[in-house]
Amino acid sequence: MDGDIADLPNDVFALKAALTVERAKLREVVAERDAGAAELAVARAKASEDLALIAHQKLRIAKLEHQLYGPHSERSARLIDQLRCSSRSWKPPPPKRSWLRKAP
């Protein structure tokens, strides 16, 4: 009943019937909203579970690599990463142009 107040019936029984219909529609909409919210909660929980599993697997891999290669490889990897970082910011010095200078 989206109409104007003038469109409403004057009969009390007709008004009660219209109110009952509108309440039923409202219950359906609320039920759909609640079902959607529940589905969203389940999806979020699943995503969180997946992220936790990924983090756990990464930790297991790191522990196994540590067992397999030991701390020396980790140090080497850190040094390589440091070299990569420093090489990105390194700029060569300007070339020396001694031939441009005038002889005294």
Side-chain angles (χ1 to χ4, degrees):
M1 304 211 66
D2 295 330
D4 191 73
I5 290 180
D7 296 337
L8 293 174
N10 289 330
D11 183 19
V12 174
F13 295 112
L15 288 171
K16 286 183 179 181
L19 181 61
T20 304
V21 169
E22 291 301 317
R23 285 182 177 169
K25 288 179 185 178
L26 180 62
R27 277 193 293 275
E28 287 178 19
V29 169
V30 169
E32 287 176 12
R33 182 204 62 199
D34 291 345
E39 287 177 17
L40 179 62
V42 168
R44 285 182 176 163
K46 177 69 174 140
S48 177
E49 180 184 351
D50 291 346
L51 290 174
L53 180 62
I54 289 169
H56 177 72
Q57 294 298 342
K58 284 182 178 181
L59 180 63
R60 279 185 69 190
I61 290 169
K63 285 181 178 180
L64 290 172
E65 285 177 344
H66 181 73
Q67 277 182 336
L68 188 60
Y69 301 115
H72 296 293
S73 66
E74 293 172 3
R75 184 173 184 274
S76 299
R78 271 196 315 272
L79 290 173
I80 290 170
D81 286 342
Q82 287 175 355
L83 285 172
R84 282 187 187 141
C85 288
S86 65
S87 69
R88 289 182 190 144
S89 62
W90 182 80
K91 293 180 183 175
K96 295 180 180 177
R97 297 180 179 163
S98 59
W99 54 271
L100 287 177
R101 294 187 195 140
K102 294 182 179 180

